[in-house]
Amino acid sequence: MPRPFRAAYVAAAAVTVAGAATGRERWQWLSKPLLMPLLAADVLHSGGELPATDRKLLLGSLAAAGVGDAILIDPDSDRRLIAGAGAFTAMQCGYSALWWRRGARPRPQVAAGRVVPWLGAVALLLARAPKVAVPLTAYGATLTTQAVLASDPQLAPQARVIAGTVVPGRDPRSRLALGALLFTFSDALIVLRRLFARTPAARRGTEAVILATYAGAQYLLTAPNDFG
């Protein structure tokens, strides 16, 4: 089945990333708020076999992410960063509930590789940015939970698994782990940008990578919306 809304999402994501890389905030204001509505439209258009509860969880998560996207168009404000973390906390909780409903459970061999980076980010925040450490640490806990569940091989039982990690393949469900990994990488860069990016060029470049990996993560996490 054609997926016109996902194609439009890719185009809007490209404009958003270009706007961040070149400092054209107007481009971001025009394109970034379209990202999550386009994915939601794809769910409604192509997710006919999705159970009603799963559809509500997915649409609710995308709505929360859309709020976070609008808030974080200005990523250099700590107040906006904290508010955006609140919106994305709701999104991560929704995704976690969705993966749990689909049979995902925390696996020690998976959790170890996701918890360690979170603890490292917590240590950096406490040492370098204590004012935002608590809310971002709380958000990181929900991100880590979502990533652990999304990486459970049970979600894609036919996929290859190497060292406890699902290898992306033709089955869209096998790409959830990669989506979670991209999300973790994107949010780790947010912390590093906040702490270490000092020049306008460094902030723009890092923000472009953050948005590119974020857009890729959302694309992969919402792709398998047609299975229960």
Side-chain angles (χ1 to χ4, degrees), residues 43-61:
V43 172
L44 296 172
H45 177 258
S46 306
E49 300 301 318
L50 195 66
T53 300
D54 288 8
R55 183 182 295 107
K56 290 177 182 178
L57 281 170
L58 186 51
L59 291 174
S61 297

Side-chain angles (χ1 to χ4, degrees), residues 117-197:
W118 170 61
L119 293 175
V122 170
L124 271 176
L125 287 168
L126 289 172
R128 301 290 298 269
K131 290 183 179 180
V132 299
V134 172
L136 294 189
T137 295
Y139 165 71
T142 63
L143 167 64
T144 301
T145 299
Q146 186 272 127
V148 169
L149 293 174
S151 302
D152 182 6
Q154 182 62 34
L155 289 176
Q158 303 303 318
R160 293 179 60 204
V161 178
I162 297 177
T165 300
V166 177
V167 178
R170 297 183 64 182
D171 184 347
R173 296 172 296 179
S174 68
R175 302 167 203 158
L176 288 171
L178 177 58
L181 181 62
L182 285 175
F183 221 125
T184 302
F185 180 73
S186 179
D187 284 352
L189 282 180
I190 291 175
V191 173
L192 295 176
R193 182 185 188 277
R194 168 64 178 76
L195 298 179
F196 301 113

Side-chain angles (χ1 to χ4, degrees), residues 41-132:
D42 177 67
V43 172
L44 296 172
H45 177 258
S46 306
E49 300 301 318
L50 195 66
T53 300
D54 288 8
R55 183 182 295 107
K56 290 177 182 178
L57 281 170
L58 186 51
L59 291 174
S61 297
L62 291 171
V67 172
D69 284 348
I71 291 171
L72 290 177
I73 288 177
D74 177 9
D76 292 319
S77 163
D78 282 352
R79 181 176 59 85
R80 283 179 169 267
L81 187 60
I82 292 170
F88 281 108
T89 292
M91 183 214 70
Q92 300 291 4
C93 290
Y95 281 164
S96 292
L98 184 57
W99 311 148
W100 187 275
R101 279 180 50 81
R102 292 177 173 178
R105 296 296 183 268
R107 313 282 177 180
Q109 66 272 28
V110 173
R114 281 37 174 202
V115 171
V116 170
W118 170 61
L119 293 175
V122 170
L124 271 176
L125 287 168
L126 289 172
R128 301 290 298 269
K131 290 183 179 180
V132 299

